[in-house]
Amino acid sequence: MTKNNRAYLFIAPFVIVFLSFNIYPILLTFYYSVTNYSGMGGLENADFIGLDNYRRLIQDDFFFQAFFNTIRIWGLNFGVQIAIALGLALLFTDLRLKLKGLNWFRALFFLPNIITIASVALLFSILLDWNYGSLNQMLLSLNIIDRPINWLNNPTYAQSWAALIGAWMWFGNTFIILMAGISGIPKDFYEAAFIDGANWWQTFTKITLPQLKPILLYVFITSIIGGLQIFDLPMLLTDGRGAPRGSLNTMVLYLYNQGFSFANFGYSAAIAYGLFLITIVFSAITFKTMYRGQVKVKKGGKK
């Protein structure tokens, strides 16, 4: 073996693992999506049905209900999460305030992110319990409500709580990313703005937001990818089928139930590819929207 060919030995483990655990499952899932595979026996028991699963998908009202459920949960989650994270990041990086104890607050805010989702779901199931939950007991004692509210049996409340719990878990991670992005903006920009008499809002809109655009794009796209795949919290908060009245039936939960509850792996594989396409479309729209109006560099190096 020549000296140059020895390099292939070093990349071989990664290539083998990548092909085995990434490419092969993707291709196998696509094969399942064009069959009626039920999960019983080997692939020889699956009949090729072409694009029937995809035709069913675009006509499936339950899938579209799951899609809009996912968008509503993610939208509220991201709105609350980015508002809190950005507000805290601006507060802790403000040159005029010079707040102390930043490392302690980082650890405190990031703590919910490292707690297992099963523990979080159990905790909030107890807090939101209809009869004995701490939230209802506190509201009753303060005379804010006159009778207990069944938080997890009302579609609007259930979706809102799923979103708020997710925001509580992930805002610390977003806070750290945004704070790192703001800290990377040259301090000279702010000092010059302060000398010129710029107020807080002017420095935020004219300096911070434009400089933070790549970080916000990253946060938004990763949030979309994660939000469209929300599964564990809605499943653990309810009966595993998306109750009440299907309000917590997200796309991945619908995919899971089609495959493992109804033994319809072919159709669940088609749902997976539908989810993949939706994620690409949303990410592309986000990227296009955030960079709309940006000055383009023409050929020859001239703007």
Side-chain angles (χ1 to χ4, degrees), residues 14-162:
F14 167 77
V15 173
I16 292 172
V17 171
F18 181 73
L19 292 176
S20 301
F21 295 98
N22 291 86
I23 301 302
Y24 175 71
I26 291 173
L27 297 177
L28 186 62
T29 300
F30 179 74
Y31 175 76
Y32 284 156
S33 72
V34 293
T35 68
N36 61 354
Y37 184 55
S38 64
M40 303 298 293
L43 293 178
E44 64 275 4
N45 296 325
D47 296 326
F48 179 79
I49 59 174
L51 299 178
D52 286 355
N53 284 326
Y54 292 97
R55 295 190 188 97
R56 174 184 171 184
L57 181 63
I58 61 177
Q59 299 173 354
D60 189 349
D61 292 336
F62 291 106
F63 173 75
F64 284 102
Q65 180 195 30
F67 168 75
F68 288 114
N69 287 342
T70 305
I71 294 299
R72 281 192 289 267
I73 294 172
W74 168 78
L76 179 58
N77 177 332
F78 183 75
V80 173
Q81 180 188 149
I82 196 68
I84 296 175
L86 184 58
L88 290 172
L90 291 171
L91 183 66
F92 280 98
T93 55
D94 195 312
L95 296 176
R96 291 168 290 190
L97 294 178
K98 297 181 180 180
L99 298 179
K100 299 185 182 298
L102 179 58
N103 291 334
W104 288 100
F105 282 106
R106 281 177 180 169
L108 180 64
F109 296 154
F110 193 75
L111 182 62
N113 191 241
I114 62 177
I115 302 174
T116 61
I117 192 67
S119 301
V120 172
L122 177 61
L123 171 65
F124 278 92
S125 294
I126 296 173
L127 291 175
L128 300 175
D129 183 76
W130 183 17
N131 292 317
Y132 306 106
S134 301
L135 180 61
N136 273 334
Q137 295 302 317
M138 181 183 68
L139 295 177
L140 286 170
S141 64
L142 295 174
N143 294 321
I144 296 177
I145 58 176
D146 55 2
R147 58 182 178 180
I149 299 175
N150 196 342
W151 300 104
L152 297 180
N153 197 42
N154 180 289
T156 301
Y157 289 149
Q159 286 187 352
S160 299
W161 275 112

Side-chain angles (χ1 to χ4, degrees), residues 37-38 56 60 62 251-269 271:
Y37 184 55
S38 64
R56 174 184 171 184
D60 189 349
F62 291 106
M251 287 188 287
V252 178
L253 183 57
Y254 185 57
L255 180 158
Y256 172 85
N257 284 323
Q258 284 294 324
F260 294 97
S261 298
F262 307 129
N264 195 349
F265 283 90
Y267 185 54
S268 66
I271 296 174

Side-chain angles (χ1 to χ4, degrees), residues 273-295:
Y273 267 89
L275 176 59
F276 174 67
L277 180 61
I278 291 172
T279 303
I280 291 178
V281 170
F282 270 70
S283 300
I285 292 173
T286 300
F287 189 88
K288 185 74 173 177
T289 302
M290 291 193 70
Y291 280 90
R292 180 181 299 170
Q294 185 173 358
V295 178

Side-chain angles (χ1 to χ4, degrees), residues 116-262:
T116 61
I117 192 67
S119 301
V120 172
L122 177 61
L123 171 65
F124 278 92
S125 294
I126 296 173
L127 291 175
L128 300 175
D129 183 76
W130 183 17
N131 292 317
Y132 306 106
S134 301
L135 180 61
N136 273 334
Q137 295 302 317
M138 181 183 68
L139 295 177
L140 286 170
S141 64
L142 295 174
N143 294 321
I144 296 177
I145 58 176
D146 55 2
R147 58 182 178 180
I149 299 175
N150 196 342
W151 300 104
L152 297 180
N153 197 42
N154 180 289
T156 301
Y157 289 149
Q159 286 187 352
S160 299
W161 275 112
L164 294 175
I165 294 170
W168 173 73
M169 290 187 65
W170 286 98
F171 89 92
N173 180 71
T174 305
F175 161 72
I176 291 175
I177 294 174
L178 293 177
M179 194 178 66
I182 296 174
S183 299
I185 300 174
K187 301 297 185 293
D188 296 344
F189 292 176
Y190 294 102
E191 292 173 357
F194 295 154
I195 293 173
D196 290 339
N199 57 34
W200 178 87
W201 180 252
Q202 290 171 328
T203 57
F204 174 68
T205 56
K206 302 299 183 181
I207 298 176
T208 306
L209 277 184
Q211 295 292 320
L212 204 59
K213 184 179 288 187
I215 304 298
L216 290 173
L217 177 64
Y218 168 78
V219 169
F220 199 85
I221 289 180
T222 53
S223 178
I224 287 176
I225 295 172
L228 293 179
Q229 298 178 33
I230 184 172
F231 163 73
D232 38 17
L233 186 60
M235 181 180 184
L236 294 170
L237 281 177
T238 61
D239 60 353
R241 298 291 178 88
R245 285 175 273 173
S247 60
L248 292 184
N249 185 28
T250 62
M251 287 188 287
V252 178
L253 183 57
Y254 185 57
L255 180 158
Y256 172 85
N257 284 323
Q258 284 294 324
F260 294 97
S261 298
F262 307 129

